[in-house]
């Protein structure tokens, strides 16, 4: 058949085919397929794949592709990156998708960085760290040996660990607070080396200057007034047998302390209880650090990380048999910025330190990224 005659025949057949019902169209195609040979069937197979499997990421505008990608979870997106180079290019270029994925993992995000590939790499790093936490493999241990006597207190700042009796200080306020065996707490001027105030009312050695009693939390003013009065007394229960755990968190806005009933968070301005986080599976957890995203806690056996968004314990690390006497082990958290969200850089260095019966210091450190 000549080309011109073929085109005329094809136009007529096309008009007739379009006028058929769907069932009639299917029967027509079945008949044509039955009449086809190997060359025609191969041609049909190759073209059907192109028609049925349209690459929507390639065909859609980039902005619309990004909008659709936001509905997929990160693990699915990583799988989609393997489909083709084009898909990998488009998915890896969606900054908002990877930033959101990092935020959902509790990662700190710098919105000024708009490099999508950077945030994809950060997410992959975050996934690894969170997997280590879930598998209880994020930390490693070490020891400091050299003390010839009992270590009463530890202090950590800027990568340095100090061992003393009982002390805390604030450079900005130019004050140092010390506890002693005469049941008092003294407030000192750092620069002058003079005592500003002496706080009385404790009935035992003050080996921790956190202003914490067995079942009461005492709020004191810091000034030059002699024998100043306690501003406020906080408790978690009228039942005096419910004890507060050692160490509290205070950042000028919130006060957080642990008890047998759970974690209690007070508003410092009003002293109202804002939040109570129950830990029914593990009782009597002591608080080490409290942030926007994570809290660091421990008991006699383990160090724990709590995700404050879900109020669940997401990781733990075994601790040795440290000194359990009333005035025994001193303990502290190390680097604390990660409690407000990991960023891929602040999960390094010291996590936890405690004094041991043999006068050594047991250290828990972040394991390096794999």
């Amino acid at each position: 058949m000549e080309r011109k005659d073929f085109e005329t025949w094809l136009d007529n057949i096309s008009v007739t085919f379009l006028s058929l019902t769907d069932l009639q169209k299917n029967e027509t195609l079945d008949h044509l397929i039955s009449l086809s040979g190997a060359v025609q069937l191969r041609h049909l197979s190759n073209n059907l794949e192109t028609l049925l499997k349209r690459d929507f990421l390639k065909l859609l505008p980039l902005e619309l592709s990004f909008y659709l990608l936001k509905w997929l979870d990160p693990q699915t997106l990583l799988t989609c990156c393997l489909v083709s180079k084009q898909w990998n290019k488009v998915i890896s270029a969606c900054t908002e998708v990877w930033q959101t994925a990092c935020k959902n993992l509790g990662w700190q995000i710098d919105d000024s960085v708009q490099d999508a590939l950077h945030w994809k790499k950060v997410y992959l790093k975050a996934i690894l760290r969170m997997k280590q936490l879930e598998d209880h493999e994020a930390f490693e241990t070490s020891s400091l040996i050299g003390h010839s006597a009992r270590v009463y207190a530890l202090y950590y700042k800027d990568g340095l660990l100090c061992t003393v009796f009982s002390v805390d200080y604030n450079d900005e306020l130019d004050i140092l607070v010390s506890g002693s065996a005469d049941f008092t707490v003294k407030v000192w001027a750092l620069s002058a080396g003079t005592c500003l105030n002496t706080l009385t009312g404790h009935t035992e050695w003050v080996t921790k200057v956190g202003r914490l009693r067995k079942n009461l939390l005492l709020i004191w003013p810091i000034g030059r007034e002699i024998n100043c009065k306690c501003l406020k007394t906080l408790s978690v229960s009228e039942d005096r047998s419910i004890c507060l755990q050692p160490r509290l968190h205070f950042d000028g806005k919130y006060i957080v302390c642990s008890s047998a009933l759970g974690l209690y968070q007070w508003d410092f301005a009003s002293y109202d209880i804002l939040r109570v986080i129950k830990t029914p599976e593990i009782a009597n957890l002591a608080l080490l650090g409290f942030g926007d995203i994570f809290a660091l806690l421990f008991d006699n056996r383990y160090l724990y990380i709590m995700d404050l968004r879900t109020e669940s314990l997401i990781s733990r690390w075994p601790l040795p048999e440290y000194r359990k006497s009333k005035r025994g082990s001193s303990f502290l958290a190390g680097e604390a910025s990660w409690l407000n969200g990991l960023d891929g850089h602040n999960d390094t260095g010291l996590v936890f330190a405690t004094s041991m019966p043999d006068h050594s210091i047991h250290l828990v450190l972040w394991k390096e990224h794999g």
Side-chain angles (χ1 to χ4, degrees), residues 113-131:
V113 179
Q114 292 297 308
D115 182 357
L117 187 57
H118 164 79
W119 290 116
K120 182 183 177 183
K121 292 179 179 178
V122 169
Y123 173 76
L124 294 173
K125 192 175 184 179
I127 280 290
L128 175 60
R129 181 57 92 194
M130 297 307 293
K131 181 69 166 55

Side-chain angles (χ1 to χ4, degrees), residues 111-342:
D111 292 321
S112 65
V113 179
Q114 292 297 308
D115 182 357
L117 187 57
H118 164 79
W119 290 116
K120 182 183 177 183
K121 292 179 179 178
V122 169
Y123 173 76
L124 294 173
K125 192 175 184 179
I127 280 290
L128 175 60
R129 181 57 92 194
M130 297 307 293
K131 181 69 166 55
Q132 288 178 334
L133 287 171
E134 291 172 4
D135 294 340
H136 316 304
E137 297 177 349
F139 307 125
E140 57 189 8
T141 58
S142 182
S143 295
L144 298 177
I145 301 173
H147 293 89
S148 59
R150 192 168 165 183
V151 177
Y152 284 96
L154 301 171
Y155 188 82
Y156 177 84
K157 184 178 182 182
D158 298 334
L160 299 176
L161 182 66
C162 302
T163 57
V164 291
F165 187 86
S166 180
V167 67
D168 195 4
Y169 68 87
N170 187 301
D171 290 323
E172 295 179 0
L173 297 177
D174 190 38
I175 62 169
L176 180 145
V177 184
S178 65
S180 70
D182 64 358
F183 310 160
T184 66
V185 174
K186 294 184 181 294
V187 182
W188 304 81
L190 268 176
S191 57
T194 57
C195 181
L196 301 177
N197 206 345
T198 298
L199 308 178
T200 60
H202 296 274
T203 58
E204 296 180 350
W205 287 13
V206 183
T207 56
K208 275 292 183 183
V209 288
R211 298 166 301 284
L212 183 66
R213 298 173 79 174
K214 286 185 177 180
N215 46 39
L216 299 174
L217 196 157
L218 309 179
I219 309 297
W220 297 88
I222 295 179
R224 295 181 180 274
E225 180 184 349
I226 303 299
N227 294 325
C228 56
K229 295 182 179 180
C230 176
L231 294 177
K232 186 71 175 180
T233 300
L234 305 178
S235 65
V236 298
S237 173
E238 294 182 358
D239 183 354
R240 296 303 182 182
S241 66
I242 303 298
C243 294
L244 297 172
Q245 294 297 319
R247 196 173 179 90
L248 58 85
H249 166 84
F250 174 61
D251 58 11
K253 187 176 181 181
Y254 303 117
I255 302 171
V256 185
C257 192
S258 181
S259 75
L261 300 177
L263 287 179
Y264 277 72
Q265 182 179 10
W266 289 272
D267 178 81
F268 182 60
S270 64
Y271 302 121
D272 292 334
I273 294 178
L274 300 178
R275 187 181 188 186
V276 179
I277 302 176
K278 301 292 186 179
T279 53
E281 66 275 19
I282 303 174
N284 297 321
L285 290 179
L287 178 68
L288 279 167
F290 191 91
D292 297 331
I293 305 296
F294 302 109
L296 185 64
L297 309 107
F298 79 111
D299 61 13
N300 290 337
R301 298 176 58 205
Y302 292 100
L303 184 69
Y304 300 92
I305 293 180
M306 174 182 284
D307 188 329
L308 293 172
R309 298 166 301 174
T310 60
E311 299 185 357
S312 60
L313 299 175
I314 62 171
S315 188
R316 71 182 187 189
W317 185 260
L319 295 177
E321 292 289 329
Y322 56 88
R323 188 184 290 121
K324 295 182 176 64
S325 64
K326 185 185 295 185
R327 302 184 184 98
S329 287
S330 179
F331 42 80
L332 83 159
E335 301 290 344
S337 61
W338 64 271
L339 294 171
N340 293 320
L342 296 163

Side-chain angles (χ1 to χ4, degrees), residues 65-73 77 94 96-97:
S65 295
F66 286 168
Y67 176 78
L68 294 175
L69 291 174
K70 294 177 186 177
W71 296 94
L72 298 179
D73 64 271
L77 289 173
C94 189
E96 187 176 349
V97 164

